[in-house]
Amino acid sequence: MTRTTTRAAVLRAMGAARPYADSRPLSIETVTLDPPGPGEVRVAIKAAGLCHSDLSVINGDRPRPLPMALGHEAAGIVEALGQGVTDLAIGDPVAMVFMPSCGHCNPCAEGRPALCEPGAAANGKGELLTGGRRIHHHDEALNHHLGCSAFAEHAVVSRRSLVKIDPALSFAEAALFGCAVLTGVGAVVNTARIRAGQSAVVVGLGGVGLASVLGALASGASPVIAVDLSEDKLALARTLGPVQTVNAADPDAVDQVRALTQGGGDFVFEMAGSVRALEAAWKMTRRGGTTITAGLPPPDAALPVNVVSLVGEERTLKGSYIGTCVPGRDIPRYVALYRQGRLPVDRLMSGTIPLDDINAGFDRLHAGEVVRLVVTF
């Protein structure tokens, strides 16, 4: 196989001034892809969602090695197979997963591929799980974003970054299952293992938070309470099912939640990526309850916890990464629930944009105007 050229959104410096439509931190460049090596696949990207994890790299909250081809939530079609890839075929529809799993390290052996050690190391270095980089701009090697680099017409990824999906699903919808749905629904189903009748409170209604609301409803949680600063997002949450809402800007927001749950939520999910939001979530949790966070604030962020309350109230504080998922198991399950009408993921989509409008799209995401914008190819 020969090298392939493709257009990709490349970040060369973090911390650009807003609006991004003017400063254009992401440059649309023609880059070259190596052919897929052993254990690798080339994918023709059909849709890629704009996520706060991408925004956190652009604004510098989540430093990554630069220059980097950004994007990690996507779906597309298998276009070429590297040596040893026998369980996919050219033409298969696939969703990308931003944490590749080796299948052999201790977390993988324990059934916790979201914590794969070689996968985390490769992502931190901007490489593929199979080692090294496959994207070039002239003689310059570009870093991969979480093994995907999906804001591009094509991508070369590890086979371990892909899950085959139902071909009846549109690619714009399928893209959301690789990040927002895995993380949000998984936090409820896998991390919390919530039971019918237990109360669920979700703080932060971006794509991941609203996916958590969907997961709580599908699991039979009651009551389900959504908390956010945006009245538009609170209104959207109410359309998803029997959801009560609280505006986080209200001075008595914590008291409102505690009243609605008769003393605090059994499970309170923080999905805003803010220490202030996590502090509020902790206060909204009942005695004996569990506070779960999947938000990713800047690396130096710290949470002060009252240890006496932690012990005396038998409280639990848990992190959830990619919804404690097993991608090959969970994505097909969540897609099936969607097809049955029990997990209306399409309600999270705010629209589609072309790749050339991606900087303006991130302005809209930063402003909280959208839940999930999707770049389509």
Side-chain angles (χ1 to χ4, degrees):
M1 286 183 284
T2 60
R3 285 187 167 190
T4 303
T5 58
T6 191
R7 297 171 75 235
V10 179
L11 181 71
R12 294 187 173 275
M14 292 179 284
R18 288 185 297 270
Y20 296 136
D22 295 335
S23 61
R24 303 189 66 81
L26 292 172
S27 57
I28 309 304
E29 303 180 12
T30 298
V31 301
T32 302
L33 296 178
D34 292 337
E40 297 173 357
V41 179
R42 189 174 74 234
V43 178
I45 305 295
K46 296 301 180 182
L50 275 62
C51 174
H52 272 89
S53 293
D54 305 303
L55 182 60
S56 295
V57 180
I58 295 170
N59 67 22
D61 283 348
R62 300 288 298 172
R64 294 284 178 181
L66 300 180
M68 173 172 280
L70 225 56
H72 69 283
E73 179 185 82
I77 296 173
V78 172
E79 194 173 58
L81 301 170
Q83 181 182 353
V85 180
T86 59
D87 58 344
L88 289 175
I90 293 173
D92 281 346
V94 289
M96 288 188 172
V97 178
F98 64 90
M99 173 56 78
S101 53
C102 70
H104 305 294
C105 67
N106 284 338
C108 285
E110 293 171 353
R112 305 180 73 184
L115 301 181
C116 176
E117 293 166 345
N123 282 359
K125 292 187 290 185
E127 297 183 353
L128 296 185
L129 180 65
T130 40
R133 299 165 180 83
R134 306 291 179 268
I135 315 170
H136 309 275
H137 185 258
H138 301 302
D139 294 330
E140 176 186 39
L142 303 181
N143 291 289
H144 295 263
H145 185 210
L146 301 174
C148 297
S149 292
F151 294 144
E153 295 164 336
H154 306 83
V156 172
V157 302
S158 166
R159 166 65 185 89
R160 299 283 188 165
S161 295
L162 300 174
V163 174
K164 187 176 177 180
I165 55 173
D166 183 344
L169 204 62
S170 81
F171 288 108
E173 295 164 346
L176 274 59
F177 283 85
C179 177
V181 177
L182 266 188
T183 302
V185 177
V188 174
V189 174
N190 296 327
T191 311
R193 296 184 178 180
I194 202 165
R195 298 193 299 274
Q198 291 184 307
S199 56
V201 181
V202 180
V203 181
L205 300 180
V208 172
L210 284 165
S212 294
V213 171
L214 292 177
L217 291 169
S219 300
S222 181
V224 176
I225 300 168
V227 183
D228 199 272
L229 294 166
S230 166
E231 283 295 339
D232 289 341
K233 290 181 179 177
L234 293 172
L236 174 57
R238 289 192 293 270
T239 70
L240 300 177
V243 178
Q244 300 178 71
T245 57
V246 172
N247 194 308
D250 292 348
D252 63 343
V254 171
D255 291 337
Q256 288 183 53
V257 170
R258 294 184 69 86
L260 291 169
T261 53
Q262 299 181 338
D266 292 310
F267 292 93
V268 182
F269 303 88
E270 186 279 311
M271 301 300 186
S274 156
V275 172
R276 185 175 178 183
L278 183 53
E279 289 176 339
W282 177 258
K283 293 174 182 176
M284 294 172 181
T285 308
R286 71 168 179 85
R287 293 169 60 90
T290 300
T291 310
I292 293 173
T293 177
L296 289 171
D300 59 351
L303 175 71
V305 174
N306 185 302
V307 179
V308 171
S309 295
L310 181 70
V311 175
E313 298 179 7
E314 289 196 356
R315 302 279 291 279
T316 301
L317 177 62
K318 295 189 72 172
S320 176
Y321 193 55
I322 327 181
T324 318
C325 72
V326 179
R329 175 197 69 190
D330 292 341
I331 288 181
R333 286 181 177 178
Y334 300 159
V335 169
L337 288 172
Y338 169 62
R339 301 281 292 164
Q340 296 163 16
R342 298 170 60 191
L343 202 68
V345 170
D346 57 317
R347 302 295 303 281
L348 309 185
M349 289 185 57
S350 305
T352 61
I353 59 173
L355 181 63
D356 290 319
D357 291 348
I358 194 168
N359 287 293
F362 276 110
D363 283 326
R364 296 178 65 190
L365 184 65
H366 170 78
E369 298 174 1
V370 294
V371 176
R372 265 303 189 270
L373 276 180
V374 179
V375 174
T376 53
F377 299 89

